Amino acid sequence: LAKTTQPISMDSYEGQEVNITCSHNNIATNDYITWYQQFPSQGPRFIIQGYKTKVTNEVASLFIPADRKSSTLSLPRVSLSDTAVYYCLVGVPNSGNTPLVFGKGTRLSVIA
Amino acid sequence: EPEVTQTPSHQVTQMGQEVILRCVPISNHLYFYWYRQILGQKVEFLVSFYNNEISEKSEIFDDQFSVERPDGSNFTLKIRSTKLEDSAMYFCASRPGQAATYEQYFGPGTRLTVT
């Protein structure tokens, strides 16, 4: 899996949009970008996955520029319950048994 | 929505004792995993399991660890002789067979405390 770099922590007020950027300069052609969320004392939870441009689901948007060397997870109008650690992972998804390799992630604290 | 379950939620054991952590993956999933997370640290991969055998294991998964899928629904992690440094949250995860995605479904974890 490609090496990723994310900010260690971020703070935000409720109602604001939060953008977390991940750098992955050595991303390979077949790599996808995947984001997971982990609440305290819970297992990680898949949020979103993308290859290029923009992907949006009910939870977040993922923006990937043309060179794919970085990506931005966007959380619209965060609430206190969005306080969690967010992990960026890069690699080739397949039907095989590839394990996930987590970094330290970005600890997002949402303040009232 | 189907989910991965794990029991117990918290296990306290003495050093040197054997522990078995249990997981029930989502019923139609084919790939199974154990991860652990020491307090304040990263989530670390331990082992993956497919078709009733280990597919891949990390350096952490030494001879003290074993996994089993005894009855087609449960997936267990056994630690034969626990050490203090085995204290961690242990997460089970599963995924469907054919999806080309990194989406794995994690359970709530078992907190193992070795004293």
Side-chain angles (χ1 to χ4, degrees):
Chain A
L1 295 178
K3 180 177 167 55
T4 61
T5 303
Q6 312 174 225
I8 293 174
S9 64
M10 295 180 70
D11 293 335
S12 176
Y13 287 102
E14 274 192 296
Q16 289 190 328
E17 178 183 78
V18 170
N19 295 309
I20 306 174
T21 297
C22 177
S23 296
H24 27 81
N25 290 318
N26 59 341
I27 190 169
T29 302
N30 295 330
D31 285 343
Y32 279 66
I33 299 133
T34 308
W35 286 80
Y36 275 77
Q37 173 192 56
Q38 186 181 26
F39 297 116
S41 298
Q42 294 188 29
R45 183 176 77 107
F46 173 91
I47 302 176
I48 196 165
Q49 179 177 285
Y51 182 81
K52 62 180 179 180
T53 63
K54 177 183 174 182
V55 180
T56 297
N57 62 22
E58 65 278 5
V59 175
S61 294
L62 178 59
F63 297 93
I64 306 166
D67 67 4
R68 303 200 327 119
K69 293 184 183 301
S70 67
S71 58
T72 300
L73 176 73
S74 181
L75 305 172
R77 296 182 298 281
V78 294
S79 63
L80 295 176
S81 61
D82 291 315
T83 294
V85 179
Y86 292 82
Y87 301 97
C88 167
L89 290 78
V90 173
V92 181
N94 51 40
S95 58
N97 221 359
T98 308
L100 299 175
V101 177
F102 290 88
K104 295 184 178 179
T106 298
R107 184 173 299 277
L108 173 66
S109 298
V110 180
I111 307 160
Chain B
E1 185 178 331
E3 57 185 23
V4 176
T5 60
Q6 291 185 243
T7 54
S9 57
H10 191 189
Q11 173 96 43
V12 181
T13 189
Q14 289 189 328
M15 197 167 51
Q17 295 295 306
E18 174 184 285
V19 294
I20 297 176
L21 310 183
R22 291 181 167 80
C23 168
V24 179
I26 295 173
S27 63
N28 61 346
H29 285 188
L30 300 180
Y31 297 92
F32 313 110
Y33 310 83
W34 283 101
Y35 295 82
R36 80 170 187 191
Q37 186 173 34
I38 295 171
L39 185 63
Q41 297 188 24
K42 299 186 296 185
V43 177
E44 301 174 290
F45 166 72
L46 293 178
V47 66
S48 58
F49 193 85
Y50 171 72
N51 202 25
N52 284 320
E53 60 183 24
I54 291 174
S55 303
E56 193 170 337
K57 58 184 180 180
S58 71
E59 291 178 354
I60 302 168
F61 194 89
D62 61 21
D63 292 343
Q64 293 301 311
F65 290 86
S66 62
V67 289
E68 196 176 35
R69 188 156 162 81
D71 56 14
S73 62
N74 292 285
F75 180 48
T76 62
L77 175 69
K78 182 193 294 186
I79 309 175
R80 289 188 183 78
S81 178
T82 51
K83 308 181 187 69
L84 294 176
E85 54 265 37
D86 293 328
S87 295
M89 282 288 286
Y90 287 80
F91 296 107
C92 173
S94 68
R95 60 170 283 179
Q98 297 304 317
T101 171
Y102 265 142
E103 184 169 7
Q104 293 182 12
Y105 296 77
F106 283 76
T110 292
R111 180 174 300 282
L112 177 64
T113 302
V114 182
T115 62

